[in-house]
Amino acid sequence: MSRLAAGVVLVTALEPPLDPDDPHAPAGEDVGMTATAFMSVSLDPPLVLVSLREGARMDDLLAEQPLWAVSVLTESQRHIAGRFAMKGRVSDRLLFADIPYVRGKESGAPLVGGALATLECRTEQRVPAGDHTLVIGRVLSASLPSADGRPLTYFRGRYRQLG
């Protein structure tokens, strides 16, 4: 499958506070994950699918948090893809520190500034598939923050540029 070129996206979600009833409890944390297994499923209704490694932080979070977002990354955002693809990181807070983003109105999740497209989604279905979970989400909103740029792609184990 490394011979199949894929677009690169950043999947994000806002982890809710540990105790929403306690005003002194720590606030929720932004979580992000680079994904290449992302696709459109349906136009009517608008559905997308992302494949998450079973037991990954994002898989666990989206099992509890139905709202999430996707930013389709540009070639110039390779550093963002690499940063959120790191294994064994302690916290995502530092990873978001110098990335321009806005908070989605529907999901509350970070939407990367300058992305080719951004989507906010609500989970419709979770399907176990081998060592992954296929998360199908209904698109609640979509925007095109950047008219310029070309997509970041992943091919044969590396980020690539078209052409």
Side-chain angles (χ1 to χ4, degrees), residues 7 13 17 24 37 54 60 122 125 132 149:
H24 302 293
E54 185 179 277
D60 292 343
R122 175 184 300 277
Q125 188 176 2
H132 278 65

Side-chain angles (χ1 to χ4, degrees), residues 30-82:
D30 293 324
V31 178
M33 181 200 91
T34 302
T36 56
F38 175 78
M39 62 182 276
S40 171
V41 173
S42 169
L43 293 177
D44 188 16
L47 300 173
V48 294
L49 177 148
V50 64
S51 179
L52 306 173
R53 186 176 40 82
E54 185 179 277
R57 184 171 184 198
M58 188 63 73
D59 182 38
D60 292 343
L61 176 56
L62 295 190
E64 302 294 324
Q65 164 62 284
L67 298 172
W68 45 283
V70 174
S71 297
V72 179
L73 300 179
T74 67
E75 289 175 340
S76 66
Q77 294 173 322
R78 175 187 281 195
H79 65 288
I80 295 172

Side-chain angles (χ1 to χ4, degrees), residues 21 30 37 58 64 76-77 79 92 95-96 102 108 121 124 145 151:
D21 297 326
D30 293 324
M58 188 63 73
E64 302 294 324
S76 66
Q77 294 173 322
H79 65 288
D92 287 4
L95 301 181
F96 281 103
V102 297
C121 305
E124 291 268 315

Side-chain angles (χ1 to χ4, degrees), residues 75-76 78 150-154 158-163:
E75 289 175 340
S76 66
R78 175 187 281 195
R150 297 176 350 164
L152 179 61
T153 57
Y154 194 74
R158 293 179 42 210
Y159 297 115
R160 307 285 181 146
Q161 296 180 348
L162 292 178

